[in-house]
Amino acid sequence: MEPLLKGPAGFDYLKNAFANHFESPSDALISLPLTAQWITSIWHGKDQEWNEHKNSLLNWWQPFMVKTNGRIVTSVPSAATNNSNQQPECNGERVDLLVRLGLLKLVSGISGITAESLPETLKLNLSRLRAVQAQIQKIIVISTSILVFRQILMSEQALVNPVEMESIVVRCGKELLEFLDRSEEAGVEKIVEIMSGFSRDGEEAFNTNKLQAVMSRMLVKSLQAGDTVFERISHAVYLATRGVVLAGNGLQGRKLAEMALRRVGAVDLTDRVVAATEILVAVATVSVNVHGQWYKYLTDNM
């Protein structure tokens, strides 16, 4: 049966099954209250998000632009990459844009995604979206931890060589990633223990109760919603994810993610952001193909 559920035949099967349960698109306002609420919540901000995205693309391309005979041409190759699984970018089409942004908003929320609150059109993707949300939250925790660790190194003046310090920060980040991948219930105490174990010569130069206490206080504070550091990191990760959601997982999307993460010293997490976001783009593509008529009716009646 699996081959029959791929391609146009698969979309038709899912579309018919959805119609049998939720009636025709013209009944969407009544039969899809959660989807209507979801679309409405994104509606007024979609144009600003799209314009910000286009400006980000322009800012990335500008360094590669040169004037030739009064014309602007690019001096870099096409955004295409050798990635055989490259996903399509959003061209601004209304339904596609709304679904992609809507999925981004869902997984970027602090509260966990629940079956009760999920739009009817996305019910079958609950486990996928929860997994993506968990990855994004993990990226925020690691980015925040790295920023705190970097600040501690600088304030303690433990390392005067910037290259050496960056090397230690990268190694610390990798170990944190490995630990958080292994442990779903990671606590601040263990994260601080890992950070305090790094030093220039591999010695536990920072493994003191005083310094661990400072790290712990800084990290706990920085991981609280409303904290300046938390908001800064969360926004950077959101922009990185949005870049891939709208530009796809090719060169453009990856570069937008790098630009956003570099601002908070987390550019090494770009692959993580891209991998998580690929799932969102896949879910959006399928949902637009399957539920497009219902989405169109809802947006036509906003």
Side-chain angles (χ1 to χ4, degrees):
M1 288 296 292
E2 186 177 350
L4 298 178
L5 296 178
K6 294 181 179 179
F11 291 144
D12 289 340
Y13 174 84
L14 293 172
K15 188 182 301 181
N16 291 333
F18 189 80
N20 288 337
H21 192 74
F22 291 102
E23 307 299 334
S24 68
S26 60
D27 297 314
L29 287 172
I30 297 175
S31 63
L32 303 176
L34 294 176
T35 303
Q37 182 180 0
W38 176 56
I39 293 295
T40 301
S41 69
I42 314 154
W43 182 260
H44 295 294
K46 69 180 183 348
D47 292 336
Q48 179 180 344
E49 296 266 13
W50 179 244
N51 288 332
E52 288 179 1
H53 170 67
K54 290 192 297 183
N55 288 335
S56 295
L57 278 176
L58 182 60
N59 290 336
W60 171 63
W61 277 104
Q62 276 181 338
F64 304 108
M65 313 257 310
V66 294
K67 288 188 176 181
T68 307
N69 295 327
R71 295 183 299 109
I72 300 292
V73 298
T74 59
S75 59
V76 294
S78 165
T81 69
N82 294 325
N83 181 7
S84 59
N85 296 317
Q86 186 166 328
Q87 296 171 314
E89 64 179 303
C90 179
N91 60 13
E93 191 276 324
R94 184 174 63 184
V95 168
D96 184 38
L97 176 62
L98 282 168
V99 173
R100 293 191 190 216
L101 288 176
L103 285 166
L104 173 61
K105 297 289 187 182
L106 282 175
V107 300
S108 298
I110 297 177
S111 301
I113 298 173
T114 64
E116 295 74 22
S117 62
L118 204 61
E120 295 84 358
T121 53
L122 300 175
K123 294 292 187 184
L124 296 179
N125 293 288
L126 176 61
S127 61
R128 294 186 184 90
L129 296 179
R130 278 178 171 172
V132 173
Q133 185 179 46
Q135 283 297 315
I136 289 178
Q137 291 176 346
K138 184 186 299 183
I139 289 168
I140 291 174
V141 170
I142 295 173
S143 300
T144 305
S145 301
I146 290 173
L147 184 61
V148 168
F149 182 58
R150 193 189 303 273
Q151 290 175 339
I152 289 290
L153 290 179
M154 295 176 65
S155 64
E156 293 294 318
Q157 295 182 340
L159 298 167
V160 295
N161 186 333
V163 175
E164 190 174 8
M165 183 177 74
E166 191 61 31
S167 174
I168 290 178
V169 170
V170 170
R171 287 193 288 115
C172 179
K174 287 181 178 179
E175 185 160 332
L176 286 173
L177 269 174
E178 293 173 0
F179 167 69
L180 291 176
D181 283 341
R182 295 192 306 266
S183 174
E184 295 182 358
E185 300 296 332
V188 170
E189 182 178 351
K190 181 59 180 178
I191 293 175
V192 169
E193 181 182 332
I194 291 173
M195 291 193 299
S196 65
F198 280 86
S199 69
R200 176 171 47 187
D201 299 316
E203 301 173 357
E204 293 185 344
F206 307 112
N207 193 16
T208 65
N209 292 335
K210 178 180 178 181
L211 199 51
Q212 284 194 356
V214 172
M215 284 185 177
S216 181
R217 285 197 301 271
M218 290 179 65
L219 189 56
V220 169
K221 178 178 181 296
S222 299
L223 288 173
Q224 293 179 349
D227 179 78
T228 303
V229 173
F230 180 83
E231 296 301 327
R232 179 187 171 199
I233 297 277
S234 298
H235 185 60
V237 174
Y238 177 87
L239 292 180
T241 309
R242 187 183 70 184
V244 183
V245 163
L246 297 182
N249 61 348
L251 179 62
Q252 292 187 136
R254 178 173 290 275
K255 290 301 181 183
L256 290 180
E258 287 179 359
M259 286 170 55
L261 294 174
R262 195 179 303 279
R263 297 169 190 160
V264 292
V267 69
D268 291 326
L269 298 176
T270 300
D271 287 343
R272 289 284 178 140
V273 170
V274 173
T277 309
E278 285 175 342
I279 300 174
L280 292 186
V281 177
V283 170
T285 301
V286 171
S287 189
V288 169
N289 276 282
V290 173
H291 311 112
Q293 295 176 348
W294 286 267
Y295 288 137
K296 185 177 185 305
Y297 184 85
L298 288 173
T299 57
D300 286 345
N301 289 274
M302 285 293 177

